[in-house]
Amino acid sequence: MEITLRIPDDVAKRLSAGGGDVSRRALEALALEGYRDQTLTLPLSEISEADLDREAAIFEAGSRRTR
């Protein structure tokens, strides 16, 4: 499935600051939310809510550093 997401240019500029890939960040955010609400699962291992929260914090911290 292909999805087209339209965002304002100023938002895209902020999301891509520091060379970030906006498409990749959108995909990662969608996947993270899917794991969080359990519509997506990891087939090889179980991840606890605490582990997921930790991974989300790492992702968000990394996102802030690229701004």
Side-chain angles (χ1 to χ4, degrees), residues 16-61:
S16 63
D21 180 348
V22 177
S23 296
R24 179 68 184 185
R25 289 190 62 190
L27 179 61
E28 289 171 351
L30 180 63
L32 183 61
E33 186 59 28
Y35 289 123
R36 185 175 282 141
D37 70 14
Q38 298 182 347
T39 55
L40 297 176
T41 60
L42 296 173
L44 300 176
S45 66
E46 292 295 320
I47 189 168
S48 70
E49 186 172 342
D51 289 337
L52 185 57
D53 289 340
R54 181 179 52 79
E55 293 295 322
I58 291 169
F59 173 76
E60 290 175 16

